[in-house]
Amino acid sequence: MFRPEGPTLRELAVQALSSVERGYDLLAPKFDHTPYRTPDRVLDAVTSALASRGPFDAGLDLCCGTGAGVGVLSRVCRERVTGVDFSAGMLAVARERVEPVGPAVSWVRADARALPFGPVFDLVVSFGAFGHFLPRELPGLFTQVRSVLRPGGRFAFPVVAPPRPGSPGYWTLLGFDAAMRVRNALWRPPFVMYYRTFRLGDVGRELARAGFRTELHALPGFGRRPDGSPRVRLVVAGRLP
């Protein structure tokens, strides 16, 4: 799973026993060498899908980590791009590694549940961050996203289809979530990271309640499951007036 340059088992154990913020501060220097970073293949597919809906003026990468999504925004936004994350360590790595090509890039340390912006963005993206939010937090999170979008702005993120029940991938994710629940029951502070709590049906309902009209688009190149459904979709939620 991990490249030689990635974290050791001991480092992962220390991270897992830390808070989410502290854990990512520790992991930041090696994060891009783990499977947690969104693959370039997904980033490129999202860029192509958004390019056909743009261009956009200002973009925000929500929970930007080391800045992979900022690279997407830099290719579809004309004026400025902002990355926001609550891990100072991840932002430090992003500042060093991301070389902006095109619009100016800024980095802001903040909690996604309390964004320090007005309605100044035309596009908000997020990659791989939603497992860090409990289902009860989604209404507030989506309301925050809507509050920083201009009328007609869009909130876009890829969603991978869940593994079929009974498949090896299903049991892997089920086991991971179960281990995290046990860890959080026995250890403080909690480390919120669950793979099976961000369900597309629930997400669609919460987006609608927050004031979005949502469309789903299959991302080409990832194929379809045996039932014909796409393996990877792009959720594009437009802010209603």
Side-chain angles (χ1 to χ4, degrees):
M1 289 181 63
F2 295 91
R3 304 176 193 173
E5 304 91 340
T8 65
L9 287 176
R10 181 182 181 281
E11 289 171 331
L12 287 174
V14 171
Q15 179 208 10
L17 295 176
S18 305
S19 67
V20 179
E21 181 179 352
R22 176 60 177 159
Y24 275 101
D25 285 347
L26 294 170
L27 183 62
K30 298 184 178 182
F31 179 82
D32 287 349
H33 302 293
T34 73
Y36 306 131
R37 182 189 183 275
T38 304
D40 288 340
R41 185 182 174 201
V42 174
L43 297 170
D44 290 342
V46 171
T47 301
S48 296
L50 292 176
S52 65
R53 294 165 175 81
F56 305 91
D57 288 333
L60 175 70
D61 184 5
L62 187 75
C63 307
C64 66
T66 56
V70 166
V72 172
L73 291 174
S74 294
R75 288 181 276 176
V76 299
C77 294
R78 297 180 291 196
E79 294 183 1
R80 58 191 175 86
V81 172
T82 302
V84 64
D85 202 281
F86 76 160
S87 167
M90 297 289 270
L91 289 172
V93 172
R95 288 187 184 96
E96 292 179 358
R97 294 188 180 174
V98 175
E99 298 181 2
V101 177
V105 176
S106 60
W107 307 97
V108 176
R109 185 179 178 218
D111 192 320
R113 294 162 292 195
L115 293 171
F117 311 107
V120 296
F121 297 103
D122 306 288
L123 175 64
V124 175
V125 299
S126 193
F127 295 89
F130 296 117
H132 295 302
F133 299 94
L134 297 171
R136 66 174 180 270
E137 296 177 300
L138 293 184
L141 177 67
F142 293 159
T143 298
Q144 282 292 299
V145 173
R146 186 182 187 279
S147 74
V148 303
L149 281 169
R150 295 175 176 135
R154 294 173 184 175
F155 178 30
F157 51 89
V159 174
V160 178
R164 298 189 313 276
S167 67
Y170 172 87
W171 291 114
T172 297
L173 296 187
L174 184 67
F176 182 91
D177 283 7
M180 291 302 297
R181 292 185 187 281
V182 170
R183 178 258 185 241
N184 289 334
L186 299 176
W187 193 269
R188 291 291 184 272
F191 192 99
V192 177
M193 183 177 180
Y194 299 113
Y195 283 106
R196 300 179 66 251
T197 58
F198 194 73
R199 297 180 174 89
L200 191 55
D202 297 336
V203 168
R205 285 189 291 273
E206 294 301 344
L207 284 168
R209 288 177 185 144
F212 288 96
R213 178 183 293 115
T214 303
E215 300 175 354
L216 301 177
H217 303 275
L219 289 181
F222 296 95
R224 294 183 176 269
R225 303 200 298 173
D227 64 1
S229 61
R231 293 190 183 278
V232 184
R233 290 183 172 100
L234 181 67
V235 177
V236 180
R239 180 194 186 279
L240 295 173

